[in-house]
Amino acid sequence: MKIACVVFLVACVYAHGAVRYPAREDNEPLQLRILPTQIHTTTVGVQNTADDELLASELALLNNQQRNLIEDQIANLLEGFRDVVINGNENIPPLDPVELQQIGPFSYSSNGIRVTGYINDLHADGLRWYIVDEVTFNALRLALGVRVTLPWLRVNGSYDANARILLLRHDAGGNFRVFVNRVEVSVDLRVGTNILAGHLVLRELDIKIDIHDTLIQIDGLVGSPVLNNIISGLVQSITQAVIQNELEKVSQMLSEQLFDTINEVLKDYTIADILG
């Protein structure tokens, strides 16, 4: 869903310069293939305390069976989350598939041109097929590591856009498809303890995302030839650097939100709860 929004927003940002691109046939699909992309972001909270060091020394005494038990419990928790992804719960709506009737409006104006658009009937699926590759626990660093692979992710829908160029109004619309092939996500987090209550607290969150291949396609453009040429030219002009920059912003936002969310969950647990 984020990638679909990025496509439209990037088109809006450069709309004033896109009229230089040659016209296209109305039924000719636009395709953009993005090369492998890597995203890395780290969010750091309060640093280690003396209590953290004491806890680490105690956990270092755990035998291999106890450490494996912690890793197994985390892996089982992640596998159990698959039912939430499919069916949702009282706090989280179903995540696969995701269906939204409308997103927007998105708008941009510059040099006498104002472009506004909506994404309609968005459908995204594939999240349920994630694979938990590895779970690790480092007692000395109070660190947990999770490696997950998403074999594929598919997003499709339609859009409507209109532009006001000087005194003239132009309208267009069409369909889009985004296919992401193999996403590998590594999440490493370092925990500590709350001095007052002994509850767990997140110290550091490190997220790395590898996207192997992405195909964006827009077809069925109808309406204003001027606006169609703007959209088609700009989709073709999107560079790897632009996509990388936008995904870095999304990654940082995701990291900050997850940092707060994980801390909210951890505040109800102590290390004894995990070991038990």
Side-chain angles (χ1 to χ4, degrees), residues 34-266:
I34 302 173
L35 299 175
T37 303
Q38 186 178 97
I39 307 165
H40 195 183
T41 182
T42 300
T43 302
V44 180
V46 179
Q47 297 302 306
N48 276 10
T49 67
D51 285 355
D52 295 344
E53 296 176 2
L54 177 60
L55 177 60
S57 63
E58 293 175 351
L59 291 177
L61 300 178
L62 295 176
N63 57 42
N64 288 336
Q65 183 177 2
Q66 291 172 311
R67 295 180 186 179
N68 290 338
L69 179 61
I70 293 176
E71 295 174 358
D72 290 342
Q73 288 177 332
I74 296 172
N76 291 336
L77 179 64
L78 292 172
E79 286 293 344
F81 187 68
R82 196 182 309 273
D83 181 69
V84 178
V85 170
I86 298 172
N87 300 308
N89 59 24
E90 62 273 13
N91 299 315
I92 303 175
L95 301 175
D96 186 17
V98 171
E99 295 182 336
L100 300 173
Q101 290 186 346
Q102 190 174 82
I103 306 175
F106 307 102
S107 62
Y108 176 78
S109 60
S110 178
N111 298 333
I113 299 178
R114 179 177 177 82
V115 180
T116 303
Y118 293 85
I119 292 177
N120 305 309
D121 301 322
L122 183 138
H123 177 98
D125 64 319
L127 190 60
R128 71 180 66 190
W129 304 114
Y130 68 85
I131 300 169
V132 180
D133 298 312
E134 183 183 24
V135 176
T136 59
F137 171 62
N138 187 319
L140 291 175
R141 293 190 67 247
L142 297 179
L144 299 173
V146 177
R147 310 289 181 269
V148 177
T149 297
L150 182 63
W152 57 270
L153 181 65
R154 179 175 53 196
V155 182
N156 59 71
S158 63
Y159 76 93
D160 293 309
N162 64 76
R164 186 168 294 280
I165 304 174
L166 298 178
L167 299 178
L168 300 178
R169 178 185 173 93
H170 298 264
D171 298 296
N175 303 314
F176 69 86
R177 287 190 292 272
V178 179
F179 184 83
V180 182
N181 178 39
R182 192 173 178 83
V183 181
E184 297 176 358
V185 181
S186 301
V187 179
D188 293 287
L189 54 90
R190 188 166 53 82
V191 300
T193 56
N194 182 295
I195 297 177
L196 298 177
H199 292 158
L200 295 175
V201 61
L202 186 60
R203 301 296 190 200
E204 181 177 327
L205 177 64
D206 190 36
I207 301 176
K208 180 181 177 183
I209 303 175
D210 285 301
I211 301 175
H212 283 233
D213 186 36
T214 304
L215 177 65
I216 301 174
Q217 179 172 314
I218 300 179
D219 57 18
L221 291 169
V222 295
S224 166
V226 173
L227 189 52
N228 288 345
N229 287 337
I230 289 176
I231 295 171
S232 62
L234 291 171
V235 170
Q236 294 173 30
S237 70
I238 295 175
T239 64
Q240 183 72 12
V242 170
I243 295 296
Q244 181 75 29
N245 183 58
E246 293 300 327
L247 289 179
E248 290 286 356
K249 294 178 182 178
V250 172
S251 178
Q252 185 61 42
M253 178 184 67
L254 178 64
S255 176
E256 293 172 357
Q257 290 180 345
L258 284 176
F259 192 88
D260 294 337
T261 301
I262 293 173
N263 257 329
E264 192 68 22
V265 173
L266 288 178

Side-chain angles (χ1 to χ4, degrees), residues 13-21 111 113 230 234:
V13 169
Y14 294 98
H16 62 279
V19 293
R20 295 173 296 174
Y21 287 86
N111 298 333
I113 299 178
I230 289 176
L234 291 171

